[in-house]
Amino acid sequence: MTSMQIGIVGLGRMGANISRRLMRAGHKAVVYDINPAPREALGKEGASPVGSLAAMVEALEAPRAVWVMLPAGAITESTVTELATLLHPDDIIIDGGNSYYKDDIRRAKRFEAAGIHYVDVGTSGGVWGLDRGYCMMIGGPKSAVDRLDSVFAALAPGIGDIARTPGREGHDPRAEQGYIHAGPSGAGHFVKMVHNGIEYGLMQAYAEGFDILKNKASADLPADERYVLNMADISEVWRRGSVISSWLLDLSAMELAKDPQLAKFSGFVEDSGEGRWTVEAAIEEAVPADVLTTALYTRFRSRRDHTYAEKLLSAMRFEFGGHVEQKK
């Protein structure tokens, strides 16, 4: 694997671990965050910390590649805009956050005029990505994506112990490694957006199912039809050979083993934007999306009153992404 030097901007939960995983694979990370503490911490682990975006560009060898890992919206917009004024033709800006794909299309056109390549990467893996690897859906020009291949290969989980899909001979081998070049600018974030919309629906299905199981003990039911069911054991047995086994179920089982009542969760469930954008895309395409839309609306309702289902949704979000409930 070819070693690369790469800049990482934004050293939160995912940005810091992306830096670490790249360094483990032999890449050289130049890191920046507005907060000096995480960049200094990564400096002790072998990264090269810098105090500004300008200093990062100065520290990187041409042609440069800078990975931006910040929340979607104004902070990402201002950061990539500033970077574009500092970088040089043939350099690459990578947005690895959850930006709206239409923003990617707009940015790519603007930066292309200055000779700067823009690559959007939908990155899935959350707080577990350092060890498990990151599933990546990539958009942008082929030449830029190909240049970054060793970076994506280092971050991806690899084939691992997942059985190979019959009939995949002749298909892009990168998909089996855990990353794909989905298409032109915006395609990576569009695929990740729909991925997150599906995630909402899957999580909601588990949450509603466990709510039904828990409420089988309701005093409103005939006495001989009431069951006090063990949520932790049910989630565990479903992990073993069941057709509904999944990583989300694994995470649910972890929280239910700690506390079947999920007492530390209120059931206040946030949405990070991708679910809304997925529903908007469905409307634009006239594609029915009953489950995904309902799952999104349930999150809205969770902020008014809370059920056991919403507590489990919060538990899953905490486990896979370290998301902490917003305090009222």
Side-chain angles (χ1 to χ4, degrees):
M1 182 181 294
T2 304
S3 175
M4 278 190 66
Q5 185 193 40
I6 185 168
I8 310 289
V9 178
L11 305 175
R13 290 189 298 261
M14 289 185 69
N17 281 344
I18 282 172
S19 303
R20 293 186 177 101
R21 189 169 174 91
L22 288 173
M23 289 191 292
R24 284 182 182 180
H27 295 290
K28 299 172 183 176
V30 178
V31 298
Y32 170 70
D33 192 282
I34 194 170
N35 179 357
R39 67 186 191 230
E40 290 169 3
L42 281 167
K44 294 176 183 177
E45 297 178 38
S48 300
V50 293
S52 67
L53 293 179
M56 171 173 283
V57 172
E58 184 68 25
L60 291 169
E61 300 171 2
R64 302 163 188 82
V66 180
W67 185 301
V68 177
M69 202 68 192
L70 295 168
I75 183 63
T76 292
E77 185 73 29
S78 62
T79 300
V80 298
T81 298
E82 182 177 350
L83 275 171
T85 67
L86 299 168
L87 293 171
H88 302 274
D90 208 31
D91 290 347
I92 303 172
I93 296 174
I94 307 152
D95 180 0
N98 282 324
S99 290
Y100 188 36
Y101 78 98
K102 292 185 180 181
D103 289 336
D104 294 321
I105 296 169
R106 171 179 52 79
R107 292 170 188 157
K109 290 177 181 176
R110 187 169 84 240
F111 300 155
E112 184 181 23
I116 296 169
H117 310 298
Y118 181 85
V119 173
D120 53 285
V121 182
T123 312
S124 181
V127 296
W128 299 79
L130 175 60
D131 297 316
R132 285 173 55 101
Y134 299 92
C135 171
M136 290 166 291
M137 297 134 270
I138 305 158
K142 183 179 185 301
S143 60
V145 173
D146 288 349
R147 192 198 303 175
L148 296 167
D149 190 72
S150 63
V151 168
F152 298 136
L155 292 174
I159 293 177
D161 57 3
I162 298 175
R164 305 187 85 155
T165 302
R168 271 204 60 84
E169 298 80 11
H171 290 270
D172 188 340
R174 293 175 295 185
E176 287 187 317
Q177 299 296 326
Y179 66 107
I180 60 168
H181 183 193
S185 298
H189 279 151
F190 182 80
V191 175
K192 175 57 161 52
M193 177 190 81
V194 177
H195 161 285
N196 284 24
I198 292 171
E199 177 186 296
Y200 282 29
L202 291 172
M203 292 171 67
Q204 189 62 33
Y206 282 124
E208 290 178 8
F210 277 94
D211 209 10
I212 293 168
L213 292 170
K214 182 177 185 296
N215 283 284
K216 190 59 175 168
S218 171
D220 294 333
L221 296 172
D224 60 352
E225 294 181 13
R226 298 175 202 159
Y227 306 136
V228 178
L229 300 169
N230 188 309
M231 301 293 109
D233 286 353
I234 291 170
S235 62
E236 186 62 30
V237 77
W238 282 353
R239 297 180 61 221
R240 314 285 173 172
S242 161
V243 297
I244 62 167
S245 59
S246 74
W247 189 45
L248 288 172
L249 183 61
D250 295 346
L251 300 177
S252 300
M254 290 170 59
E255 283 297 327
L256 290 167
K258 296 174 191 173
D259 174 19
Q261 300 305 314
L262 304 175
K264 76 174 184 178
F265 299 101
S266 70
F268 187 105
V269 187
E270 286 282 9
D271 70 285
S272 53
E274 298 90 339
R276 301 185 191 207
W277 297 336
T278 300
V279 171
E280 288 176 7
I283 293 169
E284 290 175 356
E285 299 167 19
V287 173
D290 301 23
V291 171
L292 308 190
T293 304
T294 301
L296 175 64
Y297 289 172
T298 298
R299 294 193 175 201
F300 297 162
R301 188 187 57 74
S302 78
R303 298 162 205 171
R304 291 171 171 79
D305 54 58
H306 309 306
T307 66
Y308 188 78
E310 279 128 19
K311 288 187 176 186
L312 187 58
L313 287 174
S314 284
M316 283 187 271
R317 292 185 84 242
F318 175 76
E319 279 295 340
F320 73 67
H323 301 293
V324 178
E325 290 180 333
Q326 179 176 308
K327 301 300 182 185
K328 290 186 175 180

